[in-house]
């Protein structure tokens, strides 16, 4: 267990570092959480996250789920379609595993602001956490654990000499908040289009987060369009019957990478969240994968306390999940972001098989929402 002389230093108070601080403090550890950004800068990001059942389980364990419920927008159906082959699968609550079905949603969409407000307020009240925002990370002692949650450009990772396998997609991603007409209540969409996947995620009261992947040049061009032109162009790619009404923020384009650190620990340091890995946003896996890092670190620390062995075990434990999700998202993007005539019949037959076979839908939904490594394990709740 924790001793008064050992501290966990978490670098980075993004959604991963902040949740890790709460999780480790809840197990009795003394935590120092630092970030060069101020509270306002940490709150001020226009993003919304798709939340899966693996994240629900962690937030429930940390007594945060019920507090967040008012800000979580559930979706009960997921419409997955392939515009080039015409294949379509509709996932519903009955495709969830029994334990997940009790939560009465396939997933949830959560805006960045209420999430970060909750996490930072919780941290400010905690006696076990020293929250240092807008300042450099303090020097740790030799027996402290260092958790680098300092994002994709992690300086800790570079200092520890850890290199990454990286692949830059030709596709980028454009995110934006839009008021839409014609969407059925409780519905989320993932459409495979030849230029890249398009996700439409409900944020409540007719507002949606659009995650629009396309070649990088197209994303940049669309981000610079005037509002009416942007909405006109969006209207041409939305599912039939859905129309855009209003643009509610400035669309932002960002490049897409797959990357995985060649190791997730060095001595008493571990890489957490996007400091260790990134994947394509298709399927909304990113933040959930980061938070499964938090679950693993919390469980290992609870059992064995802080040691170099903990850091090593953490790295070994996370490898399979990160690799499988990274490969699965990459495969989806490669398979569906084209109009190769020889591929279209396979895509159509695959999606038709899934539309007809409940077992296939359950397995794929379970892998997406709990992680592929949990497929053969009973669920905790
Ligand atoms: C432009 C953009 C838009 C996105 N939009 C979406 C979206 O709409 N939906 C979605 O699901 N995902 C989105 N993502 C991805 C999502 O933001 C990440 O999955 C998530 O932020 C990862 O959380 P993290 O805490 O690991 O990293 P980050 O959120 O990057 O946090 C890292 C933190 O570390 C801090 N830091 C950096 N260096 C140091 C240091 N030396 N010491 C201490 N702290 C340091 C940074 O200031 C930052 O606060 C987007 C990403 C980007 C870049």
């Amino acid at each position: 267990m924790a001793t008064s002389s050992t501290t966990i230093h978490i670098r980075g108070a993004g959604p991963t570092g902040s949740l890790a601080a709460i999780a480790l403090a809840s197990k009795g550890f003394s935590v120092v959480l630092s970030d060069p950004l101020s509270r306002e800068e940490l709150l001020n990001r226009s993003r919304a996250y798709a939340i899966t059942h693996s994240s629900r389980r962690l937030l429930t364990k940390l007594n945060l789920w019920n507090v967040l419920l008012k800000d979580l927008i559930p979706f009960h159906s997921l419409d997955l379609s392939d515009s080039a082959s015409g294949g379509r699968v509709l996932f519903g609550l009955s495709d969830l595993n029994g334990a997940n079905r009790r939560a009465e949603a396939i997933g949830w969409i959560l805006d960045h602001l209420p999430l970060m407000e909750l996490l930072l307020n919780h941290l400010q009240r905690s006696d076990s956490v020293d929250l240092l925002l807008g300042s450099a990370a303090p020097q740790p002692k030799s027996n402290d654990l260092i958790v680098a949650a300092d994002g994709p450009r992690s300086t800790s990772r570079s200092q520890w000499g850890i290199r990454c396998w990286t692949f830059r997609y030709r596709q980028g991603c454009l995110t934006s908040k839009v008021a839409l007409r014609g969407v059925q209540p409780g519905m989320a969409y993932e459409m495979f289009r030849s230029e890249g996947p398009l996700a439409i995620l409900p944020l409540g009261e007719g507002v949606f987060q659009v995650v629009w992947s396309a070649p990088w040049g197209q994303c940049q061009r669309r981000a610079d369009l005037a509002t009416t032109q942007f909405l006109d162009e969006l209207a041409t790619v939305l599912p039939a019957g859905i129309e855009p009404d209003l643009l509610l923020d400035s669309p932002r384009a960002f490049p897409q990478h797959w990357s995985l650190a060649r190791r997730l620990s060095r001595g008493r340091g571990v890489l957490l969240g996007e400091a260790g890995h990134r994947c394509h946003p298709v399927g909304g896996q990113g933040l959930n994968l980061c938070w499964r890092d938090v679950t693993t670190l919390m469980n290992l620390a609870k059992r064995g306390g802080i040691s170099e062995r903990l850091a090593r075990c953490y790295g070994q434990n996370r490898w399979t999940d990160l690799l499988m999700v990274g490969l699965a998202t990459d495969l989806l993007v490669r398979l569906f972001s084209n109009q190769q005539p020889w591929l279209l019949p396979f895509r159509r037959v695959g999606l038709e098989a899934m539309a007809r076979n409940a077992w296939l839908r359950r397995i794929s939904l379970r892998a997406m929402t709990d992680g592929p490594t949990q497929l053969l394990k009973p669920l905790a709740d």
Side-chain angles (χ1 to χ4, degrees), residues 13-287:
T16 307
S18 294
L19 194 63
I22 293 173
L24 292 165
S26 78
K27 297 299 163 206
F29 293 101
S30 151
V31 178
V32 175
L33 173 63
S34 61
D35 200 296
L37 299 184
S38 65
R39 179 186 162 95
E40 282 61 41
E41 287 169 314
L42 284 166
L43 294 177
N44 189 20
R45 292 178 183 169
S46 181
R47 290 179 198 178
Y49 306 104
I51 301 295
T52 67
H53 284 269
S54 65
S55 295
R56 172 182 63 81
R57 239 172 248 112
L58 174 62
L59 292 167
T60 304
K61 245 184 221 159
L62 299 175
N63 297 322
L64 298 172
W65 183 253
N66 285 338
V67 194
L68 263 184
L69 260 182
K70 64 180 183 345
D71 298 304
L72 286 156
I73 308 299
F75 54 93
H76 313 110
S77 305
L78 173 65
D79 185 335
L80 183 79
S81 61
D82 176 14
S83 56
S85 74
R88 183 178 176 218
V89 186
L90 200 61
F91 291 93
L93 291 180
S94 58
D95 297 320
L96 285 169
N97 165 288
N100 288 340
R101 209 176 304 151
R102 282 196 283 278
E104 293 181 355
I106 290 186
W108 298 260
I109 308 301
L110 177 59
D111 198 63
H112 178 82
L113 180 65
L115 168 67
M116 285 309 294
E117 268 178 342
L118 174 75
L119 298 182
L120 294 179
N121 290 346
H122 198 288
L123 288 164
Q124 262 159 350
R125 283 196 305 268
S126 170
D127 292 334
S128 314
V129 180
D130 199 358
L131 182 60
L132 306 173
L133 300 184
S135 63
Q139 201 54 37
K141 295 190 300 294
S142 61
N143 58 347
D144 290 342
L145 181 77
I146 306 170
V147 176
D150 47 357
R153 292 194 198 91
S154 170
T155 46
S156 309
R157 192 182 62 219
S158 318
Q159 281 163 8
W160 298 339
I162 301 178
R163 292 174 48 216
C164 286
W165 288 293
T166 302
F167 172 80
R168 180 168 173 174
Y169 290 99
R170 282 190 299 121
Q171 272 176 26
C173 179
L174 184 135
T175 60
S176 174
K177 286 181 183 150
V178 186
L180 298 176
R181 239 178 312 138
V183 181
Q184 285 177 37
M187 186 76 116
Y189 299 81
E190 181 85 68
M191 292 170 69
F192 292 114
R193 306 180 60 256
S194 55
E195 63 173 7
L198 170 74
I200 301 168
L201 310 169
L203 289 170
E205 298 176 1
V207 178
F208 295 82
Q209 169 95 0
V210 172
V211 185
W212 191 357
S213 301
W216 177 231
Q218 286 282 30
C219 293
Q220 286 176 306
R221 183 187 63 77
R222 285 171 183 153
D224 291 336
L225 287 176
T227 301
T228 45
Q229 284 172 317
F230 178 82
L231 292 176
D232 285 349
E233 206 159 312
L234 180 63
T236 64
V237 300
L238 291 174
I242 299 181
E243 285 172 37
D245 264 346
L246 273 177
L247 182 60
L248 300 166
D249 65 359
S250 304
R252 287 201 57 193
F254 56 98
Q256 282 311 321
H257 294 88
W258 172 83
S259 78
L260 181 60
R262 293 182 185 213
R263 50 189 299 169
L264 293 171
S265 71
R266 174 79 85 196
R268 282 173 164 260
V270 297
L271 297 177
L272 210 71
E274 292 213 339
H277 50 86
R278 282 175 95 182
C279 62
H280 193 284
V282 65
Q285 295 293 307
L287 187 62

